[in-house]
Amino acid sequence: MSTAEQYGPFRKRLDAFIEGAKRIHVGDVEALHHTRVASRRLRELVPLLELDRDPVEKLSQQLGRVTKRLGKVRELDVLMLLIKELSRDGEYPSTALPQLETEVGDARKDARERLATKLPPKRLDRIAARLQRVATHLESRDRKKHRRTIRGPRQGWLLALGARVARRPT
């Protein structure tokens, strides 16, 4: 099994995290959603990567905080989309939805400002760089291992990784 196949699920989520993180602070709703999903999936994959316990716990905690902070904004983004959808239906009072949209819009603006303070782009970049170093380390370690053993048995964590990824929607 090639390195790309072994670490493909991790690399795929890492790439999504990096790409989305570049755009969340400019108000990109989809980027925020994709970054949040990627952070949640990375948090599940990190414990399976045969790393030392302390770095795994720290990375998992950081990713958990990212997921939580992005989740607060995401909920308001979804609520705003729902209000706009309901406005198009024409079945709801013409004064209620605009008033609700204003309230949710204000809460969303506040949440985005808190996000910019609590999770600034530089912090996201540092987390992404750390994850990138993990990926590079794993791929390098695997290439060295592959040189020593031509056809070793699949590691147990690969089976666990495959099972976890299979349970998750893409």
Side-chain angles (χ1 to χ4, degrees):
M1 175 176 280
S2 73
T3 299
E5 291 171 319
Q6 289 178 359
Y7 301 110
F10 181 75
R11 179 59 74 180
K12 179 180 176 184
R13 275 53 181 205
L14 175 56
D15 291 346
F17 182 86
I18 291 168
E19 282 304 307
K22 292 176 185 175
R23 300 188 324 267
I24 64 171
H25 290 292
V26 295
D28 188 328
V29 173
E30 287 301 311
L32 187 135
H33 173 61
H34 293 298
T35 305
R36 182 172 180 264
V37 169
S39 70
R40 194 175 63 236
R41 291 179 179 168
L42 283 167
R43 193 176 75 229
E44 290 219 7
L45 292 173
V46 165
L48 302 175
L49 297 176
E50 292 185 335
L51 299 170
D52 293 334
R53 183 174 168 225
D54 291 339
V56 164
E57 285 180 4
K58 187 173 181 182
L59 256 178
S60 292
Q61 288 171 352
Q62 286 177 327
L63 288 167
R65 284 191 294 271
V66 168
T67 302
K68 184 177 180 180
R69 288 184 178 135
L70 294 177
K72 291 176 182 178
V73 176
R74 176 64 182 159
E75 287 174 12
L76 293 167
D77 286 345
V78 170
L79 188 54
M80 194 63 123
L81 292 170
L82 180 60
I83 292 168
K84 289 179 188 224
E85 185 180 312
L86 293 174
S87 295
R88 286 191 298 270
D89 286 350
E91 295 180 25
Y92 300 93
S94 60
T95 56
L97 287 175
Q99 187 176 1
L100 185 58
E101 185 174 3
T102 300
E103 293 292 323
V104 171
D106 291 344
R108 182 179 172 201
K109 181 178 177 254
D110 291 344
R112 282 197 174 271
E113 287 172 1
R114 277 192 310 279
L115 179 65
T117 302
K118 298 281 188 180
L119 193 61
K122 284 187 178 189
R123 185 169 295 153
L124 276 173
D125 290 345
R126 281 194 309 268
I127 294 169
R130 190 163 184 219
L131 289 164
Q132 187 70 41
R133 285 191 303 273
V134 165
T136 302
H137 167 76
L138 291 169
E139 290 163 352
S140 171
R141 182 182 70 185
D142 189 61
R143 279 191 294 275
K144 289 176 189 173
K145 200 184 286 185
H146 183 68
R147 277 186 246 140
R148 281 183 273 151
T149 60
I150 304 293
R151 286 296 238 199
R154 282 181 56 145
Q155 293 123 338
W157 74 269
L158 286 175
L159 297 172
L161 174 63
R164 280 184 101 140
V165 170
R167 284 194 332 248
R168 291 281 179 208
T170 56

